[in-house]
Amino acid sequence: MRDEPWRDPARSADERVADLVGRMTLREKLGQLYGVWLGQSTSDDQVAPFQHELVDGDLNWPELIKNGLGQLTRPFGTAPVEPADGAERLARLQAEVVAAGRFGIPAVVHEECLSGLMAHGATIYPTALAWGAAWHPALVERMAATVGATMREIGVHQGLAPVLDVTRDVRWGRTEETIGEDPHLVAAIGTAYVRGLRSAGIMPTLKHFVGYSASRGARNFGPVAAGPREVADVLLPPFLAAVKEGAESVMHSYADVDGVPPVADRALLTGLLRERWGFDGTVVSDYFGVTFIEKQHRLAADSGGAAALALAAGVDVELPQVRCYGTPLLDAILAGDVPESLVDIAVTRVLRQKCALGMLDPGWQPAVPSTVDLDPPAGRALARKLAEESVVLLSNDGVLPLRDGVKVALVGAQADTEAAMLGCYTFPRHIPSAPKGVEIPTLRSVLPHAGYAPDGAAAVAAARDADVCVVALGDLSGLFGRGTSGEGCDASDLRVPGHELLDAVLATGTPVVLVLLTGRPYALGAYADRCAAIVAAFFPGEEGGPAVAGVLTGEVTPSGRLPVSVPSDPFASPSPYLGAPLARVNGSSSVDPTPAFPFGHGLSYTDFEWTDVTGGTDAGGLTAAVTVTNTGDRDGAEVVQLYLHDPVAQVTRPVQKLLGFAKVWLAPGESRRVEFVVPPEATAFTGLAGTRIVEPGDVELWLGASSADVRHVLPARVEGPVREIGPGEERDTRVTVS
């Protein structure tokens, strides 16, 4: 048996996998196409809607693995477990999987890792919206590499991140999981995360493909009415960029896009993703997504029909637990309703990945570390650094940084709430009944203040007696209505949580510093001019308290910029900056969508001067360059942003579109040159014929400190004929800082 070709590491993966598939029975092939979730909750108060109907609390583990197993679902993220004990238990489970199957193939292990590894005691990093606010891809890549190394150490192979959904309506509860409202920013940060995970040997999983964030009314699981141009030009580009970066896995979205759920959309999962884009990895289902074809989308009468549609569309693996890809799919194949060739295609993809992971090699052994620290000092330091760079100073009349000797009142329950720092996809918020597992300093514990009062009359009295009042307000994340932000926690309006306290404190006349610890931006039109300063932090993680305190005291110079616009009116539908002319304020509507603070906005404690601006049309495309000098008295970072304005095109274009950016750290008096080279392909859009084109004509390059603070306009021209470009011809702006 050891001489069989599939066991020989010297042979090619394709040869080995083809030989193995040819030896497998149908049941053994199907065993590779699903996961098993041991220990998952079946109680109504700890689960997603419908989950208690879809899982069996008394799983027959020997029966489930006797023909092999594709994946093990979240052995660390399901319940509290000490890391070393968890790794040892996982190794035992893998040994049982290897012993049970005829071929001795272990299972791929996946975990959530959106804010770090979602496991008891693991470092909790800022959530994805904070990554976007940092505007620092290299730092996000470092974080992902660190997270990935931890995952590999304990025997995990696949991470269910990053989320590449582009924010379309911040009322959506999962806004906290998105990187921002611009596809270029999402792609730049998201691909950095992909690189980081892959560098540690972890397979990233791109989600949610596609349209999930564009639901009508920002309702989770809501239908999507996005047209093909919005899908192609706004929602798809981050996924294409990550596929080109080498991501090995994609997760379909729960949405239905114009009546077609991606889980059953062969044109999307096979025609576009595989045939046009060249993706050769696995497509995994979002949890219970295959079942939802039957239960929610109503495209199939039973679970066998749901399995048939998903498999034909291109979904390779059913997660988190086998329901449709087991006996129902087997029966459908034996009845002649589903060709076995579709199973062969899917199992080949799965086994190719296992081959790359060494799981087909003789002597494969799982990782069994004797000691594990999931929250080492280096991890906390990196979490602090990312949190600090993600804090956005929205406004400041000079009250910040707080001066020595100033009497500060600290009010608001969020100031003394550990959960105020944590997004929904962190272990303490996902499993709130479990111990939090890590130290989470609150703002109250680290910010010098004369007194603290959470709310009510005591808070008003404390504010009246102080020189400055810091008001900490925001969200508590949760699942499916058990929070104000998070999966299934959508908003019907965008009033600041706790605004009644804010109004009462403002009425005292004491200068107010508003600190927002949230998973989404809230409407600040009523407060932009009334607060002495406003600081925004998007669930900044376990070190968020010290990071925010550092900005307030001046220990940290704020360098974050908004990855999403901050609305003005809490009752108007929020409008992302990436809109056509009709999306802007005009005389045809009584509603003004102008944000209170625009995309890309953020202040500093130092000043920057922009000089020696050059650019226009060059032989290689379009160029723009500027020299940035720190003219203040402290270190700081400027974020130089380059936007495209296309005044005339064959279809309506956004007023402006981010093409590139650079976060530039400068000491006092220091200067650096930022140069952008924009290839013509970076200006591409979906034309009248429905294909991506480069269209010649006059354009403008806008250099700005935000989407609204445009400092320089550079006329340029895209040369050549109208030409169609394919996925392999897409190009990004090249940025250099010298």
Side-chain angles (χ1 to χ4, degrees):
M1 253 179 108
R2 291 187 175 277
D3 295 331
E4 294 170 347
W6 70 271
R7 297 180 182 274
D8 184 0
R11 296 176 184 265
S12 71
D14 288 343
E15 184 181 1
R16 296 175 70 188
V17 169
D19 177 68
L20 177 57
V21 172
R23 298 171 186 274
M24 300 176 84
T25 66
L26 176 57
R27 285 179 172 82
E28 288 170 333
K29 295 174 189 175
L30 292 178
Q32 296 296 318
L33 302 188
Y34 54 72
V36 170
W37 194 3
L38 296 175
Q40 79 276 34
S41 176
T42 57
S43 63
D44 293 347
D45 61 345
Q46 290 290 316
V47 298
F50 320 113
Q51 181 174 316
H52 62 283
E53 303 171 8
L54 305 178
V55 300
D56 182 355
D58 298 316
L59 295 176
N60 188 332
W61 171 247
E63 181 69 20
L64 287 169
I65 64 173
K66 69 179 183 180
N67 293 303
L69 180 63
Q71 294 223 4
L72 274 166
T73 294
R74 286 168 52 186
F76 291 91
T78 299
V81 59
E82 289 302 316
D85 294 341
E88 184 178 350
R89 174 178 179 267
L90 176 56
R92 290 198 304 270
L93 291 174
Q94 288 282 36
E96 291 171 11
V97 171
V98 168
R102 186 162 60 103
F103 297 99
I105 303 170
V108 168
V109 179
H110 76 258
E111 293 285 352
E112 299 282 1
C113 60
L114 185 65
S115 297
L117 171 62
M118 199 181 83
H120 175 69
T123 304
I124 302 175
Y125 292 88
T127 199
L129 197 59
W131 309 351
W135 291 66
H136 194 161
L139 185 57
V140 171
E141 184 174 344
R142 279 177 53 200
M143 174 193 68
T146 302
V147 171
T150 298
M151 295 168 75
R152 279 301 294 230
E153 183 183 12
I154 58 175
V156 179
H157 310 101
Q158 182 172 358
L160 303 189
V163 170
L164 297 181
D165 296 298
V166 178
T167 310
R168 300 303 284 164
D169 188 329
V170 297
R171 294 175 298 178
W172 191 47
R174 302 191 80 165
T175 293
E176 63 176 68
E177 298 179 48
T178 69
I179 293 168
E181 68 184 17
D182 179 88
H184 179 83
L185 178 65
V186 174
I189 300 294
T191 54
Y193 192 86
V194 167
R195 284 194 299 273
L197 281 189
R198 296 190 75 238
S199 72
I202 295 294
M203 296 188 297
T205 302
L206 315 179
K207 58 186 192 181
H208 309 86
F209 192 68
V210 67
Y212 193 21
S213 60
S215 59
R216 284 193 183 103
R219 293 180 63 250
N220 192 51
F221 231 111
V224 174
R229 192 161 285 104
E230 180 181 356
V231 172
D233 290 355
V234 178
L235 303 179
L236 285 176
F239 290 95
L240 174 58
V243 167
K244 292 168 66 175
E245 194 64 50
E248 295 96 338
S249 182
V250 170
M251 176 181 281
H252 71 77
S253 87
Y254 284 140
D256 86 63
V257 182
D258 194 26
V260 182
V263 63
D265 190 349
R266 182 171 176 81
L268 176 71
L269 300 183
T270 297
L272 177 70
L273 179 62
R274 297 190 185 283
E275 294 173 0
R276 280 186 54 77
W277 288 7
F279 176 71
D280 62 358
T282 55
V283 174
V284 301
S285 75
D286 204 342
Y287 281 17
F288 310 109
V290 179
T291 287
F292 289 157
I293 295 175
E294 172 198 357
K295 297 291 187 181
Q296 298 299 311
H297 300 301
R298 308 291 184 181
L299 299 186
D302 53 36
S303 53
L309 287 173
L311 189 65
V315 178
D316 302 307
V317 181
E318 181 184 18
L319 297 179
Q321 173 69 37
V322 59
R323 185 174 183 273
C324 301
Y325 274 22
T327 300
L329 179 55
L330 174 66
D331 291 344
I333 295 169
L334 294 178
D337 297 330
V338 177
E340 188 174 347
S341 59
L342 292 178
V343 174
D344 290 345
I345 292 170
V347 76
T348 294
R349 294 173 184 142
V350 169
L351 292 175
R352 190 187 300 128
Q353 288 188 338
K354 290 193 173 186
C355 184
L357 290 167
M359 291 180 167
L360 304 189
D361 296 350
W364 179 90
Q365 294 291 327
V368 191
S370 57
T371 59
V372 183
D373 185 356
L374 298 184
D375 187 29
R380 293 196 72 96
L382 187 54
R384 169 81 74 91
K385 176 65 173 172
L386 183 54
E388 289 174 347
E389 292 206 27
S390 70
V391 176
V392 185
L393 180 60
L394 295 179
S395 66
N396 184 23
D397 70 359
V399 69
L400 294 181
L402 297 170
R403 297 181 300 278
D404 291 340
V406 171
K407 187 177 182 181
V408 177
L410 179 62
V411 307
Q414 296 296 86
D416 200 31
T417 302
E418 294 174 342
M421 305 296 168
L422 308 181
C424 176
Y425 270 77
T426 59
F427 191 86
R429 300 308 297 159
H430 225 68
I431 320 273
S433 60
K436 65 180 185 297
V438 295
E439 181 184 354
I440 307 171
T442 66
L443 190 58
R444 180 186 181 187
S445 70
V446 292
L447 179 69
H449 59 276
Y452 168 71
D455 51 34
V460 173
R464 188 176 288 115
D465 189 45
D467 299 321
V468 176
C469 182
V470 175
V471 182
L473 302 176
D475 284 313
L476 287 176
S477 64
L479 285 166
F480 304 104
R482 297 187 286 274
T484 59
S485 176
E487 185 172 359
C489 298
D490 310 315
S492 57
D493 69 71
L494 290 172
R495 286 176 292 181
V496 174
H499 61 89
E500 300 89 350
L501 175 62
L502 177 58
D503 290 335
V505 170
L506 283 167
T508 67
T510 298
V512 168
V513 175
L514 173 60
V515 174
L516 293 167
L517 300 164
T518 66
R520 63 163 66 84
Y522 285 92
L524 295 177
Y527 302 108
D529 296 326
R530 295 170 62 197
C531 293
I534 303 177
V535 174
F538 300 110
F539 287 143
E542 69 182 29
E543 285 291 309
V548 172
V551 168
L552 295 177
T553 61
E555 179 184 343
V556 174
T557 300
S559 65
R561 301 293 186 267
L562 285 174
V564 286
S565 306
V566 173
S568 182
D569 185 342
F571 300 106
S573 296
S575 177
Y577 98 97
L578 194 69
L582 290 181
R584 302 291 178 102
V585 64
N586 57 64
S588 301
S589 172
S590 60
V591 176
D592 183 354
T594 304
F597 298 99
F599 173 82
H601 170 76
L603 305 178
S604 178
Y605 291 153
T606 190
D607 299 309
F608 301 96
E609 183 180 47
W610 294 26
T611 58
D612 193 18
V613 176
T614 61
T617 306
D618 202 321
L622 314 177
T623 64
V626 61
T627 297
V628 181
T629 303
N630 183 347
T631 58
D633 59 2
R634 61 162 66 205
D635 294 351
E638 179 71 299
V639 180
V640 180
Q641 302 160 40
L642 181 69
Y643 296 88
L644 174 71
H645 174 62
D646 189 352
V648 178
Q650 62 178 257
V651 298
T652 300
R653 302 283 287 124
V655 174
Q656 62 193 119
K657 174 184 181 295
L658 187 68
L659 287 178
F661 62 90
K663 188 168 193 176
V664 186
W665 285 94
L666 298 167
E670 184 181 8
S671 298
R672 300 190 75 179
R673 184 80 171 161
V674 181
E675 298 179 303
F676 301 92
V677 177
V678 184
E681 294 81 5
T683 69
F685 60 92
T686 301
L688 284 170
T691 57
R692 295 275 290 176
I693 63 168
V694 175
E695 184 180 50
D698 294 328
V699 297
E700 292 176 352
L701 300 178
W702 293 358
L703 278 167
S706 79
S707 59
D709 184 7
V710 175
R711 306 281 179 85
H712 301 280
V713 175
L714 301 172
R717 182 172 179 82
V718 178
E719 303 285 4
V722 176
R723 60 186 176 91
E724 182 178 334
I725 65 169
E729 299 172 283
E730 297 277 357
R731 298 288 185 272
D732 284 331
T733 299
R734 298 189 299 276
V735 186
T736 58
V737 179
S738 58

